Amino acid sequence: MIERLRDILWRVQQIGARSFSGIGLIVCDLPEVLPIVPLLEVGEVPHENDLVSNLVAISSWRSEYHDGFHVISSSWQLTKVAQYFSPPIVSDANIDRSKRIGGRYVAALFGSAIPAVRLSGIASDGFGIAIFQDGKEVLYERRK
């Protein structure tokens, strides 16, 4: 599951290229238990294409849905887009401050400690990608 999320994050970043705004993903089958609030009134979640195509489209600066986190199920279906994600602070979390981190990184790290969250992941041009599980960073990569 970690490898699949890794591949999705890299593909979205690569395909989106110039217009890529960054992305935060939460893998969870019970989005109703997450501390999330929609940033926009979202009608139907886009399902016209495959998951990566939909994520590329919504993680573009040109998309009104680019901000916040997006929720995907463990069967890799997009279920929620543009969500403000405010997980509780994990006071004993190991935060690697040697990296250039921000709010999206910390929210994904803390959010991965929520029992219903299987994984969370982020990607941005200046940072690379990181994946979190059970309140820990389990993967970090930068492409050169």
Side-chain angles (χ1 to χ4, degrees):
M1 187 170 251
I2 291 170
E3 286 300 312
R4 177 100 185 251
L5 183 57
R6 173 192 174 271
D7 292 343
I8 288 168
L9 289 167
W10 278 128
R11 287 176 58 211
V12 169
Q13 185 174 4
Q14 287 177 324
I15 296 168
R18 289 187 184 158
S19 67
F20 180 67
S21 66
I23 193 166
L25 297 175
I26 305 163
V27 181
C28 179
D29 291 322
L30 299 168
E32 63 274 8
V33 305
L34 296 175
I36 55 176
V37 173
L39 293 169
L40 300 166
E41 286 190 37
V42 178
E44 186 70 23
V45 173
H47 290 292
E48 300 96 30
N49 303 302
D50 63 44
L51 176 63
V52 170
S53 297
N54 283 324
L55 293 173
V56 167
I58 63 177
S59 65
S60 164
W61 287 110
R62 293 184 290 265
S63 170
E64 63 184 323
Y65 303 115
H66 78 270
D67 204 7
F69 279 78
H70 314 298
V71 181
I72 55 178
S73 69
S74 61
S75 60
W76 308 104
Q77 299 297 311
L78 184 61
T79 59
K80 300 229 178 247
V81 298
Q83 302 292 307
Y84 176 74
F85 185 38
S86 183
I89 292 172
V90 178
S91 58
D92 62 345
N94 182 19
I95 299 173
D96 183 356
R97 291 180 176 87
S98 69
K99 297 181 197 129
R100 188 172 163 236
I101 63 168
R104 187 181 283 158
Y105 177 97
V106 177
L109 172 65
F110 291 170
S112 73
I114 296 171
V117 173
R118 301 188 77 182
L119 296 171
S120 60
I122 62 166
S124 67
D125 280 334
F127 177 78
I129 68 165
I131 296 177
F132 308 92
Q133 185 175 40
D134 299 324
K136 297 177 180 67
E137 181 184 286
V138 294
L139 183 137
Y140 170 68
E141 291 181 358
R142 287 188 62 136
R143 289 230 168 125
K144 295 175 177 154

